Amino acid sequence: MPLFESDRRKEEDRIREEKRLPPGQSLTLKFPVLHYGPVPPFKPSTWDFRVWGAVEEEKSWNWNEFLALPRTQIKMDIHCVTRWSKADTLWEGVSLKAMVAAGFFKIKPNVTHVMQHAEHGYTTNLPLDVALQDNFLMATHFEGEPLSPDHGYPLRGVIGHIPAQDDLESPYLWKGAKWLRSLEFMTADRLGFWEKAGYHNRADVWDEERFR
Ligand SMILES: Nc1nc2c(c(=O)[nH]1)N[C@H]1C(S)=C(S)[C@@H](COP(=O)(O)O)O[C@H]1N2
Ligand SMILES: [Mo]
């Protein structure tokens, strides 16, 4: 189905009316692809997902074990720092909050931040309390289908804004790492890839925290 500019504008007006369009953003009906470097291959036989750093016991899951973890679906608006936003995107995967609540591993009490580590060394940091919000998901599926390689297959962090949960902090989309391989629990903050390059550390979309 072709995408008409008139359709886009109508939808953008609706989202703006509902106060879901952050300052400086425009709505897209497409799904742009943005990343640094090449798309990594996925080898199910060697892939694992690890939690490490300040945890009681480091753990890892192979691909089949990861797929067997309890699953969560969330619908949210995603906002890229390059000024496009996409509304009502549906994600499915594993919630860090649910994983911790179910006792799959234990975070040490002095943890303050979490680093997502992806293939090829991409990293991005979040405060622990933000990573434990409902709007952070380790997603395997987008709109009911496995992620495409471009969008992070087999696993990506994703963070956005849940319209009915305005109290949650909502960072820009770079705070979700595509091709996610591990979470490092940290007792002090450290900057990730774009954060080191001058992007804002907190990255709140409503305060337009794009760059430092
Ligand atoms: N591994 C990895 N994850 C990444 C990036 C990257 O360069 N490498 N770029 C981030 C940025 S800047 C954005 S805007 C989103 C884009 O996600 P998308 O390509 O699915 O739209 O991925 C984020 N996650
Ligand atoms: Mo981005």
Side-chain angles (χ1 to χ4, degrees):
M1 206 177 67
L3 296 171
F4 293 108
E5 173 58 16
S6 54
D7 293 340
R8 190 199 68 78
R9 223 152 28 201
K10 216 170 115 196
E11 180 69 355
E12 184 176 87
D13 287 345
R14 179 177 78 84
I15 299 298
R16 188 182 286 111
E17 198 90 344
E18 293 177 1
K19 307 220 179 313
R20 290 163 55 188
L21 196 66
Q25 297 295 111
S26 63
L27 196 78
T28 181
L29 302 180
K30 302 173 189 161
F31 193 0
V33 170
L34 262 121
H35 54 259
Y36 182 83
V39 173
F42 170 52
K43 280 201 212 83
S45 57
T46 56
W47 187 94
D48 65 356
F49 171 76
R50 289 199 304 135
V51 295
W52 57 288
V55 289
E56 296 300 341
E57 198 188 340
E58 296 188 355
K59 287 206 175 161
S60 73
W61 293 262
N62 68 27
W63 179 234
N64 283 328
E65 290 165 343
F66 193 85
L67 287 177
L69 290 170
R71 303 179 65 77
T72 303
Q73 279 194 359
I74 48 172
K75 196 180 257 195
M76 56 189 177
D77 301 340
I78 52 177
H79 305 294
C80 176
V81 70
T82 62
R83 299 185 180 272
W84 58 265
S85 295
K86 193 168 171 59
D88 298 314
T89 61
L90 178 66
W91 301 89
E92 187 188 306
V94 175
S95 149
L96 178 61
K97 179 185 180 177
M99 244 185 142
V100 170
F104 282 97
F105 66 98
K106 282 203 181 66
I107 297 171
K108 288 196 169 163
N110 55 343
V111 168
T112 58
H113 292 79
V114 183
M115 188 73 82
Q116 295 167 63
H117 290 265
E119 304 281 0
H120 297 321
Y122 184 83
T123 52
T124 186
N125 58 314
L126 280 174
L128 177 65
D129 55 350
V130 176
L132 290 175
Q133 292 180 163
D134 288 337
N135 58 341
F136 175 68
L137 193 70
M138 295 181 282
T140 57
H141 287 65
F142 172 73
E143 303 294 347
E145 300 286 338
L147 298 174
S148 67
D150 275 356
H151 288 295
Y153 182 76
L155 181 69
R156 75 175 294 169
V158 62
I159 191 157
H161 175 241
I162 302 176
Q165 287 179 256
D166 262 330
D167 53 316
L168 304 182
E169 191 167 315
S170 301
Y172 288 106
L173 188 58
W174 88 74
K175 293 277 190 185
K178 303 196 280 190
W179 313 296
L180 181 66
R181 289 294 302 274
S182 74
L183 294 181
E184 176 190 2
F185 291 85
M186 309 191 293
T187 56
D189 200 7
R190 243 168 48 223
L191 300 180
F193 179 85
W194 287 119
E195 292 84 2
K196 269 189 233 164
Y199 282 31
H200 202 283
N201 195 23
R202 178 163 176 255
D204 186 278
V205 300
W206 302 106
D207 288 344
E208 274 205 88
E209 292 173 339
R210 297 174 194 275
F211 307 106
R212 260 179 298 129

